[in-house]
Amino acid sequence: MSKQYVMGNGAIALGALSAGVNLVSGYPGTPSSEIIETVAKFPHEGTYVEWSVNEKAAMEVASAAAYSGARAMVTMKQVGLNVASDPLMSLAYVGVKGGMVVVSADDPGPISSQTEQDTRRFAEFARIPVFDPASPEEAFEMVQDAFAYSEKYKTPVILRPTTRVDHAYASIDAPDTFTAKEYEGFVKDSKKWVIFPRLSFQNHAMIEKRNIGIGEDFSSYRFNTVSGSSEKAVIATGVSYAYASEFLKEYPDVRLIKVGTPYPTPESFLLKALEGVSEVLCFEELSPYIEETLLKLIGRHHLDITVRGKLTGDVPASGENDTDSARRVIGAFLGLDIAEDSVDLSGAPQPPMRPPVLCAGCPHRASFYAVKKAMKGKKSYFCGDIGCYTLGNAMPLDMVDTCLCMGAGITMAQGFNHIDPDATAFSFTGDSTFFASGITGVVNAVYNAADMIVCVLDNSTTAMTGHQPHPGTGRNLMQAPVDKISIEKILLAVGVKKVLTVDPLDLDAAVAAVNECAAVKGVKAIIFKSPCVAITKPNKKLKVDDEICIGCLRCIKEIGCPALSVSEGKVVIDGNLCTGCGLCSQLCPVKAIGGDC
């Protein structure tokens, strides 16, 4: 054993390796991405690791391993669980033989997600257990426990870390070497592994009975704890427990209840923890899950306990908790006279607003601008998707009218075309997103005779989540060379009428490609291909000739590159940011931009 200072996601990875995991699959998504990347840094015989093309594929790959008696882990963020829900719901009924842990990282805030959905709700919906770690240290232990419970009860188990647990750092005592679990292998039994309505009916009844037993088992689980003895109690789960515990160090008599396993309900533990309590505050993030659980429990057992939390307005209904909110909310609940922060910040300089923008030199900016220029004065719909290019919505580009979920840009553009055929409908999707969830939409558009333009912004990586490889990069997670899957050939194979590939940084060629596709009926596609600036060496940096610049500011007003600014009425280029992409020089009406700064 040795101490390792790791991120929470690294702690989860080390916990899985310590548990002898045999297969790890998943799809990148903040805040979960580093789990698989950490596993890949500790390769050892008997463990297979992959980035799957999406979460559904990852879940199905892992399920085969679990059917074989191997230990499997699948990772994703909370919205990825929606994609994986089809196989997971059925897995809950079929069950597993080897331990199977589904890591679904929730994102209160939300900080980098479309939603604040609560995976505890999903666990209850699927009728499978969920572990809710409060720290990286607990995540390390809990993932090992989750494998054990999964095998004990032959069910998938969810581990639900949140962003602050995923991205916190801690020292973990981890083994120096890892040994993968030995497993029997798949034993054919169609009565068990082939899901039919009769089997589902029988297993559903079994699951409901089993979950009562799991709840009893969880009542003695070591991460369900209680301290203090007051009549007022605070109950917390996940990282909210850490915030509550920090504040209540000054008030050790206050009863503090931690629930590390929200579902199935550890009923016996809660009933004992609530003995002598007259009022309880549920301090949790996202949904009022524990609060509603307590209300049901108290009603069923006719307890005289007042429950406060999100439903009563005592805890914020959305967003993250933190140490300040713990101090404020719990202090108010306890009737404490909590003084406001005495530091006077009224005279302090305020930090400038820094809205997220596409990087200087990002090829996506050029792709959006080419479409905007070609469609100027024409009615068009611009359907965005999940990725860096969602930032194309910002001014002055203003080129993302919709963004719903991964892959929806393509199918929504089809919908706009059918509703308003006189307009030109565009979809924008990245190369990784195309493989993850875009292909189906293209097939749907071709099959249903849409008239639209699919724009694939191919920057040769999965940029937003940390530059992970994908099927079009020619390498996999283990850095092994593999055959590149051609986006162009896929588009042609499914019947797209015209497919053009163009460098978006060649503005004239890019605009011409848009116009050419717009003149053709049916589903067309433009592959705007240029590598992400974060994985390439910059070209020569550009500069502005002050004597030529007329101060029209067209370059700034039309593309919004963060490397461009104004000084004394003339454009200046920040050499620390400029990558030399050359887009601004192609816009300049007097050719004042060029050379090397």
Side-chain angles (χ1 to χ4, degrees), residues 423-480:
T424 305
F426 289 83
S427 70
F428 297 95
T429 188
D431 43 336
S432 182
T433 300
F434 175 81
F435 290 113
S437 56
I439 297 173
T440 303
V442 177
V443 173
N444 194 67
V446 172
Y447 173 60
N448 288 290
D451 183 12
M452 57 179 283
I453 300 175
V454 176
C455 298
V456 181
L457 310 184
D458 184 356
N459 63 1
S460 302
T461 189
T462 312
M464 175 171 265
T465 54
H467 301 97
Q468 294 83 6
H470 61 66
T473 61
R475 59 186 175 89
N476 62 18
L477 176 61
M478 303 306 293
Q479 303 302 317

Side-chain angles (χ1 to χ4, degrees), residues 108 164 234 236 239-248 281-286 310 313-334 336 338-341:
R164 300 307 176 184
V234 176
V239 74
S240 295
Y241 170 80
Y243 303 142
S245 179
E246 181 71 20
F247 172 68
L248 290 176
L281 173 73
C282 299
F283 188 62
E284 56 187 323
E285 290 179 324
L286 303 180
K310 292 177 179 288
D314 293 270
V315 179
S318 61
E320 286 189 289
N321 291 330
D322 56 25
T323 52
D324 288 336
S325 63
R327 181 172 175 270
R328 183 175 62 255
V329 170
I330 299 174
F333 170 68
L334 298 176
L336 300 173
I338 302 294
E340 292 295 323
D341 194 332

